[in-house]
Structure formats: C-alpha cells, structure tokens
C-alpha cells in the first residue's frame, strides 16, 4: 500500500517536472518567434520594418509662426464630424471616443481583470520634518499574483502625515524618481523642499515609487505588473505601456488613502516630472479621484502637442523609451506620421476636465520638453473646460519667464531654471490652495 502511494507521488513529481520544462520551453519558443525583445515583437506584430529618424531641426527656435506640422484635432468635434455643443455630448460621446484613441494608439489598455493590491504598513515612525511633527508610514502594496506566481510585484510608497492634524488632511502625491526616493531636500538653496512646503500647508505628502510596480525599461515588460498580466509573454500592440501601468499603480495608492482615517481622499493632488509628468496626466485622465494635477516638463507623450515641431518628437520616443507607450504608438514613426494621430495632447488634458491642471516647464535648458508646445496644448484644452463651466488659461499669449498664469482652472508657468519641477512647486501649491481652502 505504502509503496503504491510512494510511486504515485514519485510519478506526480516527475510529470510535474516534465510539465514545467515543457511550459518553459513553449514560453521561450513563443517569445522567440516574435523577436528577441519587446520592440521587435511589437514591430513584427505591426508589420513595421523600421522607425523613422526624427527631423533634425527640432531644437531650433526660429520656426514658422505656430510651428505645427498640421492642424490639431478639434476636441469638440466628434469623429463623425458632428459638433459637441453640450456637456452631455462631451461626457456621453466625445470623451469615450478620445479615451478609446488614447487607449488604443498611445498609452495602451489596462487589462480588464487587474489583481487586487493589499497595502501593509511596513514601518511607522514618529519624527519631525522641518520642525513639523509627522508620522511617516513606509507602505508596501502587494499585488495578488496567484494567477502567475513566478512574478512578484510589491508597490512601494512613503507617506508623511502631519501628526497634530485635527481632521483628515489633503495628500500631495509625487511620482518619485528612484534617486529622489527617501530624499527630503531636492532643492538645496533658496527654496524649501516641496515636501516642507506641503507640510507647512498642513497637508500630507506621499512619495510613490513607480518602478516598484513596473521597471523603467523595455526588458522589464515581461515582468512587473505588465508581465504578470501577460504571464511573462510579450505585449500585444494595444497593451498598456509603462506610463499607463504606473498610472494604474498611482490609483491603487489612492485606494489606500481612502482607507486611512488621517487622510482626506477627496483632496488628493498628483505631481510628476518628465516621464512621470506624462504619467501624472495619464493617471488623472483615467482616474477622476485625483483632484488636482501638477505635470512638470512632461514634454512629448505628455502635455506637449505631438504636432509641435520643437523639442522631442514622436520619432524620438519611438526609437528611445517607446516602452512607456503602447506598441501601436510605434506606427506613427513608421508607416504613419505624427499628423496621422487621431488625437493630440490638448485632448489628454481635456480628459482631466473639469478638474484643475497645472503645467510647468523651464526657460533655460528644458527645450527638449518643449514648454511652448505644452502651453499651446493647454490653450487648446480650454474650450472643453469652458463647456464644462470652468475657466481656461485666460490667455493665448505665451507668458514671460516666472510669470504665473493661475487665474483659471488651467495653470501654467515657465520658471527660470532648467529641467526641474522644484521651481514651480510654490506656484502649484498656491494654485491647489484655491481649491483646498
Ligand atoms: C528623456 C525622454 C523624455 C522624458 C525624459 C525623462 O529625455 O526623451 O521624454 O520626459 O527622458 O523622463 O527624464
């Protein structure tokens, strides 16, 4: 009897081993068939032979009057040509059209059955920051990986809450670069760090680490949350890219805020710079719970008009960090052109409407992010804000350096520095304060 049981067990162990080997081999084979990496796999699926070089003149300032390759799409005209004249038409018809374009062609789709995230406080510390008593919670959000246990995803963030608050406080959340994570002083010198500025308002701040859920490179696309959902396989052309995955993670952080009695989850702001400036816009576009946004130097793939011929171009993203986007985005630097995009970035801003958005850039050394192109997108985003009863930028005139354009529900400022969010934080906090009295 015993020996039969033993042999059955042995047989099971052997077949399982063989099975594991075959699935590994099948996986390797199917990956190989598509190419040696995600880019090759995407290009093969899309039948793209090569990526076009970006035009050479993109950092020259003496462009023609508006510097556009072609007219930008009208946010208030349906694909069938009909004009959008009411808020209801915007919500029921035009906005869903735009969401579909951004999903399919630019940022990729979030899979339908994304797993549950369970947040745990890994560590709590009572301390002071800049003289303010605070509670610092180091948080880990474990993503349920029972569907594919060989990929583990633990989202990381640090939450710092004023200890003496009498009622739930607003949260300013930053999508933080790894090199800045756990650092308090990003701006040694004149200005206090953004974290201290936030604490001085009586608000909490959160530093959220995007690469903890999705690596910031193409090789990582078969791992992290994207890899987990694809069970280690390459992406399909309309699958989500890095920005959309990071944005999804930011929403999971907001889920946690809703459960923390010290926080007011109705007043959550989101800031990101550069690739995370793109991500902040995407996160707020897809999650209406983000109450106010600061997108800093987000450039191409963020607030900058794709069709503006300064700074980074679609072709640059396609030949560089294309993995922040859906595979389909590569098409626009292959067989198609920027002017074939069914949308432009003003419509990404419009997906956040009627919520307030502040956009910033630098006047000296931030040309790659094309502050002018970001400003133009914000101007073009205005009509939707107005249709929804809000105020646009209030000007079409590109402002002087350090002049804050914050009178409306769309805000803009070109600070005197380079590629940094630091020099616009004070203005952004002033902008957000209009809403969080
Ligand atoms: C590169 C990239 C930009 C991006 C930036 C960043 O410069 O071309 O699109 O915004 O990196 O995130 O630092």
């Amino acid at each position: 009897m015993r020996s039969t049981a033993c042999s059955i067990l042995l047989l099971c162990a052997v077949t399982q081993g063989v099975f594991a080997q075959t699935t590994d081999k099948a996986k390797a084979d199917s990956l190989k068939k598509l190419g040696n990496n995600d880019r090759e796999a995407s290009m093969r699926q899309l039948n793209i032979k090569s990526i076009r070089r970006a035009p050479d003149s993109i950092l020259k300032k003496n462009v023609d009057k508006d510097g556009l390759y072609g007219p930008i799409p009208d946010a208030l005209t349906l694909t069938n040509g009909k004009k959008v004249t009411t808020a209801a038409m915007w919500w029921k018809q035009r906005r869903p059209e735009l969401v579909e374009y951004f999903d399919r062609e630019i940022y990729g789709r979030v899979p339908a059955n994304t797993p549950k995230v369970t947040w745990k406080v890994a560590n709590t510390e009572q301390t002071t920051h800049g003289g303010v008593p605070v509670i610092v919670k180091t948080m880990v959000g474990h993503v349920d990986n029972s569907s594919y246990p060989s990929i583990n995803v633990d989202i990381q963030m640090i939450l710092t809450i004023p200890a003496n608050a009498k009622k739930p406080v607003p949260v300013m959340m930053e999508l933080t670069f790894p090199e800045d994570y756990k650092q308090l002083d990003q701006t040694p010198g004149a200005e206090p760090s953004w974290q201290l500025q936030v604490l001085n308002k009586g608000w909490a701040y959160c530093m959220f680490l995007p690469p903890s859920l999705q690596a910031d490179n193409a090789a990582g696309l078969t791992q992290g949350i994207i890899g987990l959902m694809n069970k280690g396989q390459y992406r399909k052309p309309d699958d989500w890219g890095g920005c959309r995955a990071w944005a999804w993670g930011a929403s999971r952080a907001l889920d946690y805020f809703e459960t923390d009695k010290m926080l007011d989850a109705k007043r959550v702001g989101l800031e990101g710079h550069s690739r995370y400036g793109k991500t902040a816009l995407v996160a707020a576009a897809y999650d209406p719970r983000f109450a106010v946004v600061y997108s800093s130097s987000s450039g191409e793939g963020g607030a900058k008009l794709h069709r503006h011929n300064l700074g980074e171009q679609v072709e640059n993203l396609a030949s560089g960090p294309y993995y922040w986007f859906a595979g389909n985005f590569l098409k626009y630097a292959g067989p198609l052109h920027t002017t074939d995009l069914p949308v432009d970035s003003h419509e990404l801003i419009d997906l956040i409407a009627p919520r307030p958005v502040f956009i910033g850039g630098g006047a000296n050394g931030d040309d790659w992010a094309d502050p002018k192109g970001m400003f133009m997108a914000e101007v073009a985003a205005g009509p939707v804000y107005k249709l929804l009863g809000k105020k646009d930028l209030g000007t079409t005139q590109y402002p002087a350096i350090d002049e804050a354009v914050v009178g409306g529900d769309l805000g803009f400022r070109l600070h005197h520095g380079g590629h940094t969010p630091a020099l616009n934080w004070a203005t952004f906090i002033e902008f957000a304060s209009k809403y969080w009295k």
Side-chain angles (χ1 to χ4, degrees), residues 172 201 203 291-294 355-359 378 385 391 393 405-412 424-436:
M172 212 36 105
K201 289 299 282 187
W203 304 340
V292 56
V293 185
Y294 168 19
R355 288 163 292 146
V357 177
F358 176 79
I359 288 173
E378 227 182 343
Y385 274 76
K391 285 195 188 139
L393 265 180
V405 182
V406 287
D409 297 296
L410 289 167
F412 181 88
N424 271 335
W425 260 104
T427 308
F428 170 58
I429 287 175
E430 182 192 323
F431 179 74
S433 301
K434 290 198 295 185
Y435 303 92
W436 297 348

Side-chain angles (χ1 to χ4, degrees), residues 177 273-276 278 297-298 300 312 317 321 324 368 419:
F177 282 90
H273 171 66
S274 213
R275 70 204 66 178
Y276 300 143
K278 312 183 205 300
S297 301
S298 59
E300 173 55 27
E312 189 171 26
L317 284 181
W324 294 336
W368 189 240
H419 190 58

Side-chain angles (χ1 to χ4, degrees), residues 174-181 208-210 216 273-276:
E174 182 195 58
L175 304 167
T176 306
F177 282 90
E179 58 272 30
D180 298 325
Y181 198 59
F208 177 94
L209 192 62
D216 192 359
H273 171 66
S274 213
R275 70 204 66 178
Y276 300 143

Side-chain angles (χ1 to χ4, degrees), residues 320-397:
Y322 78 96
Y323 50 85
W324 294 336
F325 305 91
N328 268 337
F329 192 52
L330 290 169
K331 290 186 303 192
Y332 297 93
L336 302 177
H337 290 79
T338 305
T339 45
D340 294 312
L341 278 165
V343 285
D344 214 315
S345 302
H346 58 305
E347 291 162 311
L348 177 64
I349 302 169
D350 282 335
L351 293 186
I352 307 174
R355 288 163 292 146
V357 177
F358 176 79
I359 288 173
N364 292 297
D366 201 18
D367 292 352
W368 189 240
D370 185 18
K372 177 81 189 289
M374 297 194 285
F375 175 80
M376 289 167 71
E378 227 182 343
V379 169
V384 170
Y385 274 76
K386 288 177 96 167
L387 181 72
L388 300 180
K390 297 290 170 180
K391 285 195 188 139
D392 63 6
L393 265 180
T395 180
T396 56
Q397 179 73 44

Side-chain angles (χ1 to χ4, degrees), residues 145-355:
N145 62 341
S146 50
S147 65
Y148 196 70
S150 64
I151 294 180
N152 187 66
V153 183
D154 284 317
I155 311 177
Q156 294 176 48
M157 67 181 178
I158 302 173
L159 193 53
T160 300
I161 310 171
N164 297 333
K166 301 274 177 296
K167 47 180 195 205
V169 293
V171 190
M172 212 36 105
M173 173 172 172
E174 182 195 58
L175 304 167
T176 306
F177 282 90
E179 58 272 30
D180 298 325
Y181 198 59
K182 299 186 181 175
Q183 296 259 322
L184 270 187
D185 267 300
Q186 289 173 303
T187 30
E191 302 211 22
S193 68
W194 71 269
Q195 292 97 330
L196 285 183
Q197 295 183 53
V198 167
L199 284 181
N200 286 335
K201 289 299 282 187
W203 304 340
Y205 70 83
C206 175
M207 296 165 80
F208 177 94
L209 192 62
S212 62
L213 80 142
Q214 186 59 47
D216 192 359
N217 54 56
L221 288 170
T222 50
Q223 292 150 37
I225 183 65
I226 297 178
L228 173 61
M229 296 312 292
N230 283 339
K231 299 192 162 42
Q233 301 290 313
Y234 289 137
R235 297 182 303 162
K236 295 188 301 305
D238 65 346
D239 274 354
W240 49 350
C243 286
R244 192 82 158 87
W246 292 328
W248 175 84
S251 288
R252 303 294 69 80
L254 214 157
D255 294 344
Y256 168 76
F257 301 159
E258 289 181 332
T259 68
D260 190 322
K261 302 261 179 308
M262 300 185 81
L263 307 176
D264 178 356
K266 295 255 180 311
R267 292 186 290 170
V268 174
L270 183 63
E271 178 262 351
H273 171 66
S274 213
R275 70 204 66 178
Y276 300 143
K278 312 183 205 300
T279 306
L281 292 172
V282 174
Y286 285 93
D287 190 335
R289 296 173 301 167
F290 288 109
V292 56
V293 185
Y294 168 19
S295 174
S296 167
S297 301
S298 59
E300 173 55 27
K304 166 201 193 299
L305 287 175
H306 297 284
R307 287 167 174 79
H308 195 228
N309 67 5
L310 281 183
E312 189 171 26
Q313 306 290 300
V314 172
E315 288 89 346
N316 298 109
L317 284 181
S319 59
Y322 78 96
Y323 50 85
W324 294 336
F325 305 91
N328 268 337
F329 192 52
L330 290 169
K331 290 186 303 192
Y332 297 93
L336 302 177
H337 290 79
T338 305
T339 45
D340 294 312
L341 278 165
V343 285
D344 214 315
S345 302
H346 58 305
E347 291 162 311
L348 177 64
I349 302 169
D350 282 335
L351 293 186
I352 307 174
R355 288 163 292 146

